[in-house]
Amino acid sequence: MMADERLEDNNLDNNELDFSAPVAADYNDDSIQHLSWNEHIRMRLGMYIGKAGDGSAHDDGIYILLKEIVDNCIDEFVMGFGKSIEIDINDGKVHVRDYGRGIPLASLKDCMGQINTGGKYDGGAFKKSVGLNGVGAKATNAASSYFRAQSFRDGKTKIVEFSKGELLNESGFEDTDQKNGTDITFVPDSELFGNYHYLMEYVDEMVWNYAFLNSGLSLILNGQKYQAKNGLLDLLERKIGKTDTCVYPIIHIKEGFFECAFTHSNITSNEEYFSFANGQYNPLGGTHLNVFREAIARTIKDFYNKEYETSDIRSSFIAAISIKVDNPEFEGQTKTKFSSNYMDKDNETTIRAYITDIIKRHFDKFLHINSDVAEALMRKIIQNEKERKGMANIKKLARESAKKVSLNNRKLRDCRVHYNTNSENRLESTLFITEGDSASGSITKSRDAQTQAVFSLRGKPLNSYGLTKKIVYENEEFNLLQAALNIDESIENLRYNNIVIATDADVDGMHIRLLLLTFFLQFYPDVVRGGHVYILQTPLFRVRNKKQTVYCYSDEERINAIKSLGAHPEITRFKGLGEISPDEFSYFIGPNMRLEPIILRHDMTIPELLKYYMGKNTEQRQRFIIDNLRIEDDTNIDKIEG
C-alpha cells in the first residue's frame, strides 16, 4: 500500500489551492515571441540545469554550472589529453583550467556562445563523453553575469568574454608559452540564483567523485590535491568508513568499460548505490543499475543453488558502479537517470548482456575461491530473511494503524508535486516537519500548496538511538512520518526532494531536531546521505520602522539592521514559529528561504556519530557543550540605541 493511500488521499486542503477558471486572454500574432539562445536558457533554466537554488542543496544550479565546465575537462582526460585539472572558487567566482587539447581557436566564440555547436556530435573527437548536446558550457555562459573562456593551442591563445550570454569582447590570436588547454572563469548571475553561496562540502564530494572515476587524474581544488589509485574501491571505502562496518571485505571488479565495488553492511538494512555513466553521477540510477542489481541477485542464487528472496539478498547491500558507453542517453539535461540500452553506436552489444556476463564470471569465481566470504554472505542473507519474516506482521498492523490514525489526525498537509514523479518542478517538492498546532498552522497557511507539504509532530519524538526498526512501526509518530515520506521499502520511493525540519530556535526546538536526525540516521541514513534533509533557518529578530522591515537571523544581522534603520527602531524577538504570522511566514519559506543542509562528515561513521551525541558518554558531551557554548548578549542593543 502506497503512502498516499495510507494518508487520506494526500490530505490536500481545497481551500488552499486556486481552482478558479482560467482567465481568457487574447492569442494572436503579438503573442508569438522569438527568444535568442541565451534568453531561452535564462527564462527556462530548469530545462537545462534543473532548479536554480542558492547553493544550500547539492543539486542546486550553481553546482551544475561547475559540473558542466569540469565535465568538458574530464572528456579531454578520457581521450588521453591532460592529467590535471585546477579548480578555484573564491567569493562566488569560479575558475577552471585543464591541460587538454584546447578548443580550436577559430571556433572558441561559437563553442561558448552558439547553441548546438561543439565537437561531440559525431563521436570521433570525444568517445564515451558525458556531454553530447552542445549545451553545458553555453548554459553556464547564459546563467553567468560574467563568463570568460581562454583557449591555449600550439603556442597561440584567444579569449572571449560574455555577460549573460551576450558577447562583450573577442580577442585576436596571440602568442603564448602556456601549455595547451582551456581556461574558464564564470560568476553565476545573482538575478537567477539570488544570494548564492558555494558550500565546499558539496564541491569536495563532486571533485572526489571525479577522482574516483578517473584513475591517474589529479584535481586541485583551492590548492588541495584529489587523486585516487583504486577507483570505485576507494570511493566505497570512503563512503563506508571503517572496515568493521562491512560483513565481508569490499569486492572490486573492473573489466573493459565497466567497474563495480560492493559489500553488505552490518549497520543498516537499507540498500545504497552510487551509480555513474560516462563519469556522470546518476542519483536515480537507470539501465546499468537495474541490470547490475539483477545480475548480483541471479549470481548469488545460482551459486548457492537456492531461490532466496531478492529483497533478502539486497537488504543492507551497498555498491558503486560505473559504465562508459558510446552516445549515452540520459533522462533530462541534468542526467540524473541513465537510459541507454547498448554499449556502442553499432548496437551490437546490449548493456544487459555486457554487465551480466562480467558479474557472472568474476563474482561467481570470487565466491568459489573465497569460501569465508561465501559463508559470511550466506549468513547475512539468512539473517535478513529472519528479520523480514519477523517484521511482516508488525508492518501489516502498522499500515492499518497509520490509515486509521491519519483519517482522524490529518497530520499531513500534502502538496500536488512529488519528488518521485516526472513533474518539471519535482526537485522543489518539500516536506516541512514542524511541532505544534500553531507553527504547523502558520506554515500550512503560508506555504505553496503546489510544492510544499507540512507534517505536524505532536510533542517531542522518541529517542530512537539503539532501538531496532521495529519501533518505527510501533511508534505512532515514526510510523506516520515514514508513511508520509514513503521510505518504508526503499529511498527510491521518497516522495519529497527536500525534508525540512522546522522547529523553534530554542532548547526544546534544538532537542526535537536532534531526535529527528537520530531517527533518520538510525533507520534511513540514505535520506541524509542523499542530501535530502535540511534545517529551516527562521529569523530571531524583526527590526522595523515606519518605512522598512528587516528580518535578522543572528545578533550580527540585528545590530547591522539597527544601525541602518536609524534611531529607535522597533525590535521584536521571535520566541517560536507560532509567533510568526502566516503573512510573514510566506517570506521565510518562499524564494528567500534559508536552509541549512545536513552534511555527514567522512571522518566519523554514523554509528560513531550517534554514539557520541546520543550514547552514554555524558561527560564528553558536557565538555563539548561547554567548549561550544554561545551566550547571547542583549546589551549591544542598549549600546547602539544609547
Side-chain angles (χ1 to χ4, degrees):
M1 187 180 295
M2 297 300 290
D4 49 0
E5 294 179 73
R6 285 174 272 169
L7 291 164
E8 202 198 23
D9 194 23
N10 293 339
N11 281 342
L12 282 163
D13 292 336
N14 290 347
N15 62 334
E16 295 168 6
L17 298 171
D18 183 9
F19 291 103
S20 58
V23 178
D26 292 335
Y27 176 58
N28 50 43
D29 288 336
D30 294 334
S31 305
I32 306 301
Q33 299 181 43
H34 173 74
L35 300 177
S36 63
W37 70 271
N38 52 317
E39 289 174 331
H40 189 270
I41 290 175
R42 292 176 64 83
M43 181 176 290
R44 296 288 183 261
L45 196 62
M47 291 177 57
Y48 297 90
I49 65 169
K51 60 178 179 174
D54 65 356
S56 298
H58 68 98
D59 52 0
D60 279 352
I62 60 171
Y63 303 108
I64 305 301
L65 301 186
L66 171 61
K67 187 191 76 66
E68 294 290 1
I69 299 303
V70 178
D71 280 350
N72 291 336
C73 306
I74 296 296
D75 287 340
E76 285 294 313
F77 170 78
V78 170
M79 293 301 295
F81 302 94
K83 294 185 178 181
S84 65
I85 300 171
E86 299 164 2
I87 306 170
D88 291 286
I89 301 177
N90 187 20
D91 293 332
K93 185 177 183 179
V94 180
H95 173 246
V96 181
R97 170 72 155 100
D98 72 31
Y99 295 89
R101 291 165 289 186
I103 299 171
L105 302 187
S107 301
L108 181 61
K109 181 184 73 173
D110 289 343
C111 285
M112 296 294 111
Q114 182 66 49
I115 205 73
N116 299 328
T117 300
K120 301 179 182 179
Y121 297 113
D122 64 3
F126 292 92
K127 288 184 178 293
K128 295 180 172 54
S129 163
V130 69
L132 297 174
N133 299 319
V135 173
K138 286 84 164 178
T140 303
N141 182 0
S144 298
S145 58
Y146 177 74
F147 183 93
R148 178 185 184 274
Q150 182 172 11
S151 180
F152 304 94
R153 196 171 169 95
D154 301 329
K156 297 290 183 180
T157 186
K158 183 177 180 178
I159 300 172
V160 290
E161 295 176 289
F162 298 82
S163 177
K164 304 176 184 178
E166 298 291 340
L167 182 65
L168 296 178
N169 178 59
E170 179 181 12
S171 76
F173 294 4
E174 298 178 1
D175 294 334
T176 181
D177 58 0
Q178 293 283 321
K179 293 182 179 179
N180 285 359
T182 304
D183 189 300
I184 303 290
T185 299
F186 68 91
V187 179
D189 189 0
S190 59
E191 290 182 12
L192 300 176
F193 303 102
N195 185 26
Y196 70 88
H197 57 289
Y198 279 96
L199 286 176
M200 295 312 294
E201 291 90 345
Y202 290 149
V203 180
D204 175 81
E205 191 74 10
M206 179 192 300
V207 174
W208 267 123
N209 283 344
Y210 282 123
F212 293 136
L213 292 165
N214 298 277
S215 299
L217 174 65
S218 295
L219 298 105
I220 313 296
L221 172 61
N222 288 355
Q224 180 180 345
K225 186 176 181 180
Y226 295 68
Q227 192 170 33
K229 296 180 180 179
N230 302 307
L232 295 185
L233 175 63
D234 291 342
L235 182 151
L236 212 56
E237 285 182 346
R238 185 169 186 267
K239 297 289 185 183
I240 293 175
K242 294 184 177 180
T243 56
D244 59 5
T245 63
C246 301
V247 174
Y248 50 87
I250 296 172
I251 298 173
H252 186 206
I253 298 172
K254 188 174 183 179
E255 180 181 311
F257 300 112
F258 179 76
E259 180 182 4
C260 65
F262 56 90
T263 184
H264 277 79
S265 170
N266 57 25
I267 61 172
T268 179
S269 61
N270 299 295
E271 295 178 72
E272 185 173 10
Y273 298 96
F274 307 94
S275 58
F276 303 84
N278 286 38
Q280 167 69 42
Y281 176 49
N282 316 121
L284 299 182
T287 308
H288 56 333
L289 180 56
N290 294 337
V291 172
F292 170 76
R293 295 170 70 195
E294 293 171 9
I296 290 290
R298 186 70 264 163
T299 302
I300 288 175
K301 292 176 183 180
D302 290 345
F303 177 81
Y304 295 106
N305 194 26
K306 186 171 183 179
E307 285 296 314
Y308 290 116
E309 285 282 343
T310 301
S311 61
D312 296 333
I313 294 174
R314 293 177 180 171
S315 179
S316 74
F317 189 69
I318 179 172
I321 71 168
S322 171
I323 194 169
K324 294 180 179 179
V325 304
D326 288 349
N327 301 305
E329 297 176 4
F330 300 94
E331 293 187 9
Q333 173 61 21
T334 53
K335 306 178 179 71
T336 55
K337 189 173 184 179
F338 178 66
S339 57
S340 293
N341 289 312
Y342 294 93
M343 288 296 299
D344 54 56
K345 61 183 179 180
D346 297 325
N347 291 349
E348 293 181 356
T349 304
T350 65
I351 288 175
R352 175 171 297 279
Y354 188 75
I355 294 178
T356 301
D357 175 65
I358 292 175
I359 294 298
K360 175 65 177 177
R361 286 188 288 104
H362 288 276
F363 189 25
D364 182 77
K365 180 180 179 180
F366 184 91
L367 291 175
H368 276 96
I369 294 175
N370 298 276
S371 58
D372 54 338
V373 173
E375 291 176 6
L377 175 57
M378 183 176 63
R379 288 195 299 270
K380 180 62 177 175
I381 295 172
I382 294 173
Q383 177 187 341
N384 291 341
E385 182 182 34
K386 291 180 179 179
E387 292 177 356
R388 173 178 57 82
K389 291 180 178 179
M391 294 295 294
N393 290 332
I394 296 174
K395 285 186 178 183
K396 181 180 179 181
L397 293 174
R399 290 188 180 112
E400 294 174 355
S401 173
K403 184 177 182 180
K404 185 183 299 182
V405 172
S406 65
L407 289 173
N408 298 323
N409 289 358
R410 292 178 60 85
K411 296 177 71 66
L412 176 69
R413 296 292 189 272
D414 213 345
C415 60
R416 291 292 187 194
V417 174
H418 295 119
Y419 177 53
N420 56 354
T421 70
N422 294 321
S423 175
E424 182 177 337
N425 54 353
R426 66 184 181 82
L427 292 175
E428 299 174 9
S429 61
T430 298
L431 177 69
F432 294 102
I433 304 175
T434 189
E435 55 172 320
D437 293 335
S438 57
S440 174
S442 292
I443 295 181
T444 299
K445 292 176 182 177
S446 57
R447 67 179 175 136
D448 175 2
Q450 183 71 11
T451 59
Q452 295 177 332
V454 182
F455 184 91
S456 179
L457 292 171
R458 185 180 61 194
K460 290 184 180 180
L462 178 70
N463 180 0
S464 60
Y465 173 67
L467 302 179
T468 66
K469 200 170 184 179
K470 179 181 178 183
I471 199 68
V472 173
Y473 307 101
E474 294 180 336
N475 179 272
E476 181 180 303
E477 293 287 305
F478 288 162
N479 184 25
L480 291 173
L481 179 56
Q482 65 87 10
L485 294 170
N486 197 32
I487 50 178
D488 181 21
E489 299 298 334
S490 172
I491 188 180
E492 293 179 3
N493 301 324
L494 181 66
R495 300 178 75 233
Y496 310 95
N497 187 44
N498 311 307
I499 303 168
V500 178
I501 300 173
T503 60
D504 293 344
D506 57 15
V507 174
D508 286 339
M510 299 292 182
H511 191 204
I512 292 174
R513 291 181 189 178
L514 186 60
L515 293 172
L516 285 171
L517 290 175
T518 301
F519 164 75
F520 284 116
L521 291 172
Q522 181 84 5
F523 303 117
Y524 305 102
D526 295 352
V527 175
V528 181
R529 288 196 188 102
H532 296 287
V533 183
Y534 302 85
I535 301 295
L536 175 66
Q537 296 297 303
T538 51
L540 299 175
F541 305 95
R542 179 181 61 211
V543 182
R544 65 183 177 184
N545 57 24
K546 294 181 179 180
K547 297 182 178 180
Q548 188 178 2
T549 299
V550 179
Y551 297 102
C552 308
Y553 292 76
S554 65
D555 285 328
E556 182 181 358
E557 290 185 15
R558 177 194 61 182
I559 294 170
N560 291 335
I562 294 172
K563 290 179 180 178
S564 65
L565 294 184
H568 304 292
E570 174 192 320
I571 304 169
T572 302
R573 171 68 160 91
F574 294 117
K575 298 299 183 182
L577 302 185
E579 296 184 3
I580 304 176
S581 69
D583 289 341
E584 287 185 299
F585 230 119
S586 62
Y587 177 84
F588 311 132
I589 61 175
N592 296 310
M593 178 166 56
R594 295 192 189 185
L595 296 178
E596 180 181 345
I598 302 301
I599 303 173
L600 294 178
R601 288 167 23 192
H602 287 283
D603 57 349
M604 184 179 287
T605 65
I606 288 177
E608 290 172 327
L609 187 70
L610 290 175
K611 182 179 180 181
Y612 181 84
Y613 288 102
M614 305 303 292
K616 297 182 179 180
N617 55 328
T618 308
E619 185 176 339
Q620 285 181 287
R621 282 202 304 274
Q622 286 179 340
R623 175 52 52 191
F624 174 83
I625 292 171
I626 293 172
D627 292 343
N628 292 273
L629 184 64
R630 294 193 330 181
I631 301 176
E632 187 174 301
D633 184 5
D634 290 327
T635 58
N636 287 327
I637 296 178
D638 299 330
K639 292 178 182 177
I640 294 171
E641 291 179 335

